[in-house]
């Protein structure tokens, strides 16, 4: 068992610090006509924990359905990955899903989880190492949407990617194609990539999944304001905003917003941002695809879908891509 404990293998191309990038992105988002916050900022340590709680809610079908696919088709999926591969998981978060593949990848050279939440990343890597003591685990603390380098010392074997959880749906389709192409550059020529993709389905099922009765998704959404206050010194009044989520069929996407409950001003970095009552901050999209629609998207990014798997109800899909 090997764990890289330093978290310095992610060498940013840009000299901008993560803190400055966070501030810059929030200032840009709050200055837009439709205010927005990039969804990647959900995942501080509190947000990561809240998302794990979301996945346990009865309304939230994606996680349990994807796990069901990985359990049922794990040997088939693993058989399509090269022998002695280095497996890179983009936005790794919890290890619940990758474990479904690791039990079938007994000759894996190394596992490289990549996540922006360093504390959560370290904790998950340490837990995984106890259950897979012979696996080389080399975490990388990085924003997977930006250029970063893989760790030194990986084997000369092939590199494969794992991107579960329908995170691809958080990006506008042109951005999603760009992200898949970016993964191809990170993984290199001849790479394979396993991707989870949520499918189009009944609006009532989708609306409930993103607005659970227990209010966990609402807390997850509102935690963005707490994080901006805590890390950037803003003065958002969390009680003056509410969670809103709904499926927009014309766009084939779930939209999540934070709704201002009254007219108010918010200060950040010496600037003031005004909100009208009912005005929203757009915090997330989650696009839903058809099987053919995702195959076309992958092709735009230079990938070919070698095989796809779905559950019996066709709620969710997993795809094996090759370059």
């Amino acid at each position: 068992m090997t764990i890289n404990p330093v978290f310095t293998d992610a060498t940013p191309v840009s000299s901008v610090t993560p803190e400055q990038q966070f501030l810059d992105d929030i200032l840009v988002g709050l200055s837009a006509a439709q205010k927005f916050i990039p969804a990647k900022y959900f995942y501080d340590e509190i947000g990561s924990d809240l998302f794990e709680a979301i996945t346990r809610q009865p309304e939230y079908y994606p996680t349990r359905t994807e796990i069901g696919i990985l359990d049922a088709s794990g040997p088939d999926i693993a058989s399509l990955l090269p022998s002695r591969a280095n497996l890179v998981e983009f936005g790794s978060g919890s290890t619940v899903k990758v474990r479904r593949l690791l039990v079938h990848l007994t000759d894996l050279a190394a596992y490289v989880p990549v996540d922006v939440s360093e504390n959560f990343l370290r904790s998950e890597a340490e837990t995984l190492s106890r259950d897979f003591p012979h696996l080389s685990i080399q975490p990388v603390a990085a924003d997977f949407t930006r250029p970063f380098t893989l760790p030194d010392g990986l084997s000369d074997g092939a590199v494969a990617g794992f991107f579960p959880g329908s995170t691809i749906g958080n990006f506008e389709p042109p951005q999603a194609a760009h992200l898949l192409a970016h993964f191809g550059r990170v993984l290199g020529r001849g790479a394979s990539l396993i991707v989870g993709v949520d499918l189009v389905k009944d609006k009532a099922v989708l609306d409930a999944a993103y607005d659970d009765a227990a209010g966990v998704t609402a807390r997850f959404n509102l935690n963005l304001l707490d994080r901006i206050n805590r890390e950037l010194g803003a003065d958002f009044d969390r009680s003056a905003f509410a969670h809103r989520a709904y499926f927009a069929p014309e766009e084939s996407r779930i939209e999540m917003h934070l709704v201002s409950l009254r007219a108010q001003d918010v200060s950040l970095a010496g600037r003031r941002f005004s909100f009208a009552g009912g005005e929203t901050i757009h915090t997330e999209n989650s696009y839903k695809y058809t099987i053919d629609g995702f195959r076309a998207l992958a092709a735009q990014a230079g990938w070919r879908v070698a095989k796809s798997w779905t559950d019996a109800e066709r709620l969710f899909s997993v795809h094996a891509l090759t370059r």
Side-chain angles (χ1 to χ4, degrees):
M1 176 271 292
T2 302
I3 293 182
N4 172 1
V6 181
F7 294 89
T8 57
D9 291 310
T11 306
V13 172
S14 171
S15 60
V16 177
T17 66
E19 294 77 12
Q20 186 62 51
Q21 188 66 61
F22 183 22
L23 176 60
D24 291 347
D25 287 347
I26 300 304
L27 291 174
V28 168
L30 295 182
S31 300
Q34 168 59 73
K35 295 179 174 67
F36 69 93
I37 297 172
K40 65 184 178 182
Y41 292 118
F42 279 125
Y43 299 98
D44 64 347
E45 190 169 1
I46 296 171
S48 295
D49 288 341
L50 283 168
F51 181 74
E52 293 307 311
I54 288 171
T55 66
R56 296 188 292 270
Q57 300 310 303
E59 301 94 333
Y60 194 78
Y61 65 86
T63 298
R64 63 175 178 270
T65 307
E66 185 176 28
I67 287 174
I69 295 170
L70 294 174
D71 283 341
S73 303
D76 194 18
I77 296 169
S79 72
L80 295 178
L81 297 181
S83 178
R84 295 292 300 164
N86 301 284
L87 182 65
V88 179
E89 183 173 3
F90 299 99
S92 54
S94 167
T95 61
V96 169
K97 292 172 187 171
V98 77
R99 288 169 181 270
R100 265 65 187 186
L101 291 185
L102 292 180
V103 296
H104 304 294
L105 295 169
T106 55
D107 66 345
L108 198 66
Y111 169 58
V112 183
V114 181
D115 200 276
V116 72
S117 179
E118 183 172 328
N119 290 337
F120 193 73
L121 177 67
R122 183 189 299 274
S123 174
E124 289 295 305
E126 290 173 350
T127 300
L128 189 68
S129 72
R130 291 194 288 271
D131 296 332
F132 294 86
H134 302 296
L135 178 63
S136 174
I137 302 174
Q138 303 202 38
V140 173
D143 177 351
F144 66 79
T145 68
R146 298 180 180 275
F148 66 93
T149 57
L150 294 176
D152 294 331
L154 292 183
S155 78
D156 293 332
V159 181
F162 186 45
F163 192 46
S166 73
T167 307
I168 193 68
N170 294 149
F171 298 84
E172 299 282 341
Q175 295 174 334
H178 179 80
L179 182 66
L180 291 174
H182 165 62
F183 288 168
R185 290 188 292 272
V186 171
L187 298 173
R189 184 174 303 217
S192 303
L193 177 64
I194 307 299
V195 185
V197 180
D198 202 4
L199 299 177
V200 175
K201 60 187 65 65
D202 183 77
K203 184 179 186 300
V205 174
L206 288 165
D207 286 347
Y210 291 83
D211 194 10
D212 58 276
V216 181
T217 308
R219 295 199 297 276
F220 174 71
N221 202 6
L222 287 160
N223 179 63
L224 275 170
L225 305 184
D226 292 339
R227 182 182 183 186
I228 295 168
N229 286 350
R230 183 171 58 250
E231 297 184 25
L232 301 179
D235 61 356
F236 278 101
D237 178 359
R238 174 184 171 130
S239 68
F241 288 84
H243 167 71
R244 179 186 295 166
Y246 57 90
F247 182 63
E250 65 281 1
E251 300 286 351
S252 193
R253 72 187 187 192
I254 284 283
E255 292 188 14
M256 282 207 330
H257 294 257
L258 290 167
V259 185
S260 178
L261 299 178
R262 54 177 171 77
Q264 59 182 306
D265 290 335
V266 173
S267 297
L268 172 61
R271 296 172 58 179
R272 294 190 68 78
F273 298 92
S274 295
F275 290 81
E279 186 177 0
T280 74
I281 307 172
H282 192 169
T283 56
E284 185 178 46
N285 290 322
S286 185
Y287 282 86
K288 311 304 173 185
Y289 288 91
T290 64
I291 298 290
D292 288 342
F294 179 72
R295 286 177 175 168
L297 181 78
Q300 292 176 34
W303 294 92
R304 180 180 67 86
V305 177
K307 194 167 183 178
S308 301
W309 301 265
T310 68
D311 60 289
E313 297 179 77
R314 295 181 70 85
L315 296 175
F316 200 90
S317 60
V318 174
H319 305 262
L321 312 184
T322 60
R323 286 183 72 78

